[in-house]
Each structure stands twice: as structure tokens, then as C-alpha cells.
Amino acid sequence: MLKGFYFELLGGDILNLKKSCKIYESDLYFRLGMCYNNIGWCYKHLNNEEKACEYYSKAIEVSGGNVVLFYTNRIKSLKALNKYKEAIDNCLGFLHHLKGDRELACCTFMKAIDNYKAFFFPYLYLGAVNLSKTIHYRNRNNNQSLPMNKEKGIMDSVDIITEGIGNCSEGLSDLFQMRSNVYDALNDSLNKDADIVKTLQIKRGLFERMG
């Protein structure tokens, strides 16, 4: 299920889907994220900022990038690790996202990827923005075929998400799920279904490890 920020980006039918989702499900994602966040906080007080940052990233992953606290804590850990450039780019990107400035957010997240390739959220954001532009274009133009520049934009989504899948160890279920939505927009049912299967396998593995 799509979660968090990319509900807002995609709009339309997906927003209606969000309203129909059961409340406990979104609450579960928040509670899981808070558990990971609290583990990160414990590692921070054990002076292990690397592990703290790892668990803050897990918190962002399971909450769908929708809780500012988790992002803030991760940025604090990056600062403590003297990873200032990464902290600045990710912080600014997230701030631009919160203010609704997608263009600046995209530019900043691209810089974040250039400087640090292993964090999943920038890839996810960039893929979602390109997908949302495609959906909005089709909604405005009665589902007409995409012009060449729009087609290139959504193919760029496939490339950026695929790069994220190759570089990241966290957030893989969200990346595969986002790519399946991009393939759906491209009417590529074979690759869409393959990514849905991968998403379910990863999520099933996550909950089995927690059980």
C-alpha cells in the first residue's frame, strides 16, 4: 500500500484510496517507525551514531517518510558523524518538500544522491514526483498518450528508482512498490507484477523477522 508523502504527490484516485484505508494500518506504520526511532535514540546514548543513523533510516522507511521527527533525528546523527554535506542536502530537500516546493526539493535531493547514494528517500521522492506529473497530465488530457518529453520523464523515474534499488539496503519495499506504479503508468504489466511480488516478499520477510 502506498503510504505517506506520495499519497499527496499522486492525488486523484489514490487520495480516495487513502481515505478508504483502515486507520489502524497507518497507526501501525507509525508505531513501527517509533520503535525503530527509539532504538536509534538508545544507540545514540551509547555513543554509536552509525547504528543510531541506521535505525532512524529504518524508522523513515516503515513510516513512508511521513514523520518529521525520524528525519530530524537522522540528520542530527549525520551531523554527529561529521557528514555535514549529506545532512545539509537531505535536510534542505525535506524542508522544500514540507513547504510544497517540489522543484527545489528535487534539485536538492539530486545533490544528496550525488554525495551519498545509500539513503532510499531521495530516490523515492524523485520517482514519485515524476510519476505524479504523468498522472496529472493524463487526468487533464483524458488519458491521452504521453508526448515524448513526458515519456522521457517517467522513464527517468524507472532509472532513478532502479539506481536506488541497487544502492540502498533500506527502503527496498517502498522502492519496488513505487517502481511497480511507474510500470503501471507505462502499461508494462509484466514488470509491474514482478515488482509487486518483490514488494510482498520483502514486506513478508520484515514482519517475519519482527515476529
Side-chain angles (χ1 to χ4, degrees):
M1 185 188 81
L2 287 173
K3 312 188 294 293
F5 80 99
Y6 36 94
F7 267 128
E8 300 168 11
L9 288 174
L10 300 182
D13 292 337
I14 295 179
L15 275 177
N16 294 329
L17 176 62
K18 180 185 180 184
K19 293 175 184 176
S20 69
C21 291
K22 296 176 182 178
I23 298 300
Y24 77 84
E25 193 166 4
S26 60
D27 184 57
L28 171 63
Y29 289 125
F30 173 79
R31 289 174 183 272
L32 289 173
M34 188 59 72
C35 288
Y36 282 124
N37 178 76
N38 290 342
I39 294 171
W41 184 86
C42 292
Y43 273 116
K44 179 178 179 63
H45 285 270
L46 289 170
N47 297 315
N48 190 337
E49 292 289 353
E50 289 282 358
K51 291 295 288 186
C53 195
E54 176 185 332
Y55 275 92
Y56 294 145
S57 295
K58 289 178 184 291
I60 294 169
E61 175 187 359
V62 298
S63 66
N66 202 35
V67 182
V68 176
L69 172 65
F70 305 158
Y71 219 99
T72 300
N73 286 342
R74 183 177 183 277
I75 289 165
K76 287 179 180 178
S77 282
L78 290 173
K79 287 162 59 180
L81 292 165
N82 296 320
K83 296 181 178 179
Y84 295 111
K85 181 61 177 171
E86 183 186 348
I88 290 170
D89 289 341
N90 278 286
C91 185
L92 285 176
F94 196 64
L95 284 173
H96 292 317
H97 156 59
L98 291 176
K99 292 192 296 184
D101 192 334
R102 294 187 195 175
E103 295 304 318
L104 270 176
C106 286
C107 290
T108 310
F109 278 134
M110 285 299 296
K111 291 179 182 177
I113 290 173
D114 288 340
N115 288 296
Y116 183 76
K117 299 185 181 299
F119 183 44
F120 78 97
F121 192 84
Y123 300 101
L124 193 64
Y125 186 89
L126 293 166
V129 167
N130 278 333
L131 178 57
S132 72
K133 290 177 180 177
T134 300
I135 291 174
H136 292 160
Y137 175 86
R138 284 180 171 165
N139 287 342
R140 289 196 306 269
N141 295 277
N142 298 316
N143 291 318
Q144 290 181 11
S145 297
L146 297 174
M148 188 172 295
N149 64 321
K150 298 290 184 183
E151 189 80 29
K152 181 182 183 303
I154 197 165
M155 289 307 299
D156 287 344
S157 282
V158 173
D159 291 342
I160 197 75
I161 297 168
T162 301
E163 181 183 348
I165 290 170
N167 290 333
C168 302
S169 58
E170 304 292 341
L172 289 175
S173 64
D174 286 321
L175 289 169
F176 275 116
Q177 185 166 336
M178 181 57 67
R179 196 172 67 176
S180 76
N181 288 312
V182 176
Y183 282 133
D184 185 44
L186 290 167
N187 297 315
D188 185 346
S189 60
L190 185 64
N191 280 315
K192 179 193 78 170
D193 291 346
D195 276 357
I196 289 173
V197 170
K198 290 173 184 174
T199 301
L200 293 173
Q201 288 173 338
I202 293 168
K203 288 185 175 181
R204 187 180 301 117
L206 172 65
F207 282 102
E208 285 176 355
R209 289 196 300 273
M210 293 176 60

